[in-house]
Amino acid sequence: QVQLVESGGGLVQTGGSLRLSCAASGRALNTYIMGWFRQAPGKEREFVAAIRWSGDSTYYSDSVKGRFTISRDNAKNTAYLQMNSLKPEDTAVYYCAASVPRLRIGVRPGEYDYWGQGTQVTVSS
């Protein structure tokens, strides 16, 4: 069984930065696709970013591209989401997710097999 634990959320002003971390434990973790999703109150969970096991293939939603960066440190079994130039519309609970290897990176929640508990990110001005 794979377990994921997010950390790093908090309150930040518009234009500020946060770095989220996702610590993972389990078998064959370095072969998994790692993804970040977010969910605002009353809205569906939406895709943010994902990265393959090799770290050389990434994918971002249009809403965060150029502002957020996903990365992973396989030696530490940890994935990261660096968030810069934050906007109020980025406010949401952010979830880390893991997917078994696939030919294409998934952008739907149902395409991921394991989930963390979520961490709150609030952007205010």
Side-chain angles (χ1 to χ4, degrees):
Q1 185 177 6
V2 173
Q3 293 184 325
L4 307 173
V5 180
E6 302 99 330
S7 62
L11 175 64
V12 64
Q13 292 185 333
T14 297
S17 298
L18 285 173
R19 189 177 77 158
L20 306 183
S21 298
C22 175
S25 62
R27 296 184 62 186
L29 290 173
N30 290 345
T31 70
Y32 280 51
I33 295 168
M34 301 298 297
W36 288 95
F37 289 75
R38 66 187 183 185
Q39 187 168 20
K43 297 184 178 180
E44 295 292 312
R45 192 167 299 186
E46 67 173 352
F47 174 80
V48 176
I51 185 170
R52 289 193 181 278
W53 65 268
S54 65
D56 62 355
S57 181
T58 58
Y59 184 71
Y60 299 89
S61 68
D62 290 339
S63 62
V64 307
K65 197 169 188 177
R67 299 187 297 121
F68 291 10
T69 302
I70 187 171
S71 62
R72 67 191 298 167
D73 186 338
N74 290 341
K76 297 181 178 180
N77 292 325
T78 303
Y80 304 94
L81 184 69
Q82 178 66 47
M83 305 184 294
N84 298 327
S85 302
L86 284 163
K87 306 173 182 178
E89 50 263 46
D90 295 319
T91 295
V93 176
Y94 283 70
Y95 297 90
C96 177
S99 168
V100 297
R102 296 173 178 268
L103 293 177
R104 292 181 291 182
I105 290 177
V107 297
R108 300 176 181 178
E111 295 177 299
Y112 287 77
D113 304 288
Y114 304 99
W115 294 85
Q117 82 289 348
T119 185
Q120 177 70 47
V121 172
T122 303
V123 185
S124 65
S125 61

